[in-house]
Amino acid sequence: PQYKESDLACGMRGGKTAIVSMAMVFEYFCTFTLDSPSDYYGLLGKQPIFHTVVATTTDTAEDGIFYNVTNMIENSEWLQTWGDLAIRSDMIKCDAKDAHMRVMGSWATSAVGRSNRAIAMDELDMFEDTSGKRGAEQMYSRLRKSTDTFGMDGHVFALSSPKKSDGMILTLYERNKNDPLVL
């Protein structure tokens, strides 16, 4: 299959969270400004379109990328004019467009069943180093597949400070380093 992820590995204090936060605001904006996102993507009427921020724990997801995203949206009068956005501590909703952004801890079974247009995986190498439901490979694999509905508009932003040479972020880098569709 053709990969379309954006895999970022910048090291510690490299601005990863800020970059991915901006990308997630842009991805969410691209969804909720469509006249009818469900129709545009050929989904069932009013089917929710998710933009998910996932980290090792829900608190970590809320305190990092999601905090930055909500801060950018709340402090932008221009973004606020594009939709009726309801911002909560763990979710942003635009009910009129069925566009949602939510946070999630690393648990692969809770990741399935949603149509995700964009996913941000924060500190991927800190996910469990197992083949189980909390493992980085399982989480990445299941969440990446949830973007397939959106074709080339579906994106995964995986970021991490590398933990070890065979960790998930460097594995993704090696797997995709020659793919022109991957940043």
Side-chain angles (χ1 to χ4, degrees):
Q2 188 176 31
Y3 290 100
K4 57 192 179 321
E5 298 89 348
S6 298
D7 296 319
L8 305 171
C10 301
M12 297 184 84
R13 310 304 324 149
K16 303 177 306 292
T17 301
I19 292 168
V20 172
S21 299
M22 289 178 232
M24 289 298 284
V25 169
F26 178 76
E27 295 291 334
Y28 192 59
F29 173 80
C30 288
T31 302
F32 78 76
T33 57
L34 291 170
D35 286 336
S36 174
S38 296
D39 290 343
Y40 182 83
Y41 289 111
L43 303 174
L44 296 173
K46 306 295 280 173
Q47 182 177 341
I49 297 172
F50 286 94
H51 304 73
T52 301
V53 176
V54 63
T56 55
T57 68
T58 304
D59 285 345
T60 303
E62 288 173 4
D63 293 344
I65 293 169
F66 190 75
Y67 174 83
N68 289 345
V69 167
T70 57
N71 191 39
M72 284 183 243
I73 291 173
E74 287 177 327
N75 289 302
S76 172
E77 290 180 35
W78 184 78
L79 280 175
Q80 298 274 338
T81 65
W82 283 92
D84 186 20
L85 302 176
I87 300 173
R88 293 188 234 149
S89 64
D90 64 346
M91 182 179 274
I92 302 171
K93 292 178 83 173
C94 183
D95 285 331
K97 303 294 180 95
D98 297 303
H100 310 294
M101 185 175 296
R102 63 184 307 260
V103 296
M104 186 170 74
S106 62
W107 190 259
T109 53
S110 63
V112 298
R114 291 179 181 85
S115 296
N116 282 293
R117 187 176 174 280
I119 296 163
M121 302 188 78
D122 196 1
E123 293 297 346
L124 186 58
D125 269 12
M126 301 308 149
F127 287 34
E128 286 185 9
D129 194 17
T130 68
S131 59
K133 296 175 184 176
R134 294 181 67 87
E137 181 69 47
Q138 276 283 341
M139 286 297 299
Y140 180 83
S141 174
R142 290 193 176 216
L143 285 170
R144 192 202 62 71
K145 287 178 186 175
S146 75
T147 67
D148 288 349
T149 300
F150 302 97
M152 294 304 287
D153 286 350
H155 297 107
V156 177
F157 300 96
L159 63 114
S160 189
S161 298
K163 184 174 163 183
K164 56 187 184 172
S165 62
D166 64 346
M168 191 63 191
I169 199 70
L170 291 178
T171 298
L172 290 173
Y173 171 75
E174 287 298 322
R175 182 188 303 167
N176 296 295
K177 69 182 177 183
N178 295 319
D179 188 332
L181 299 176
V182 175
L183 169 65

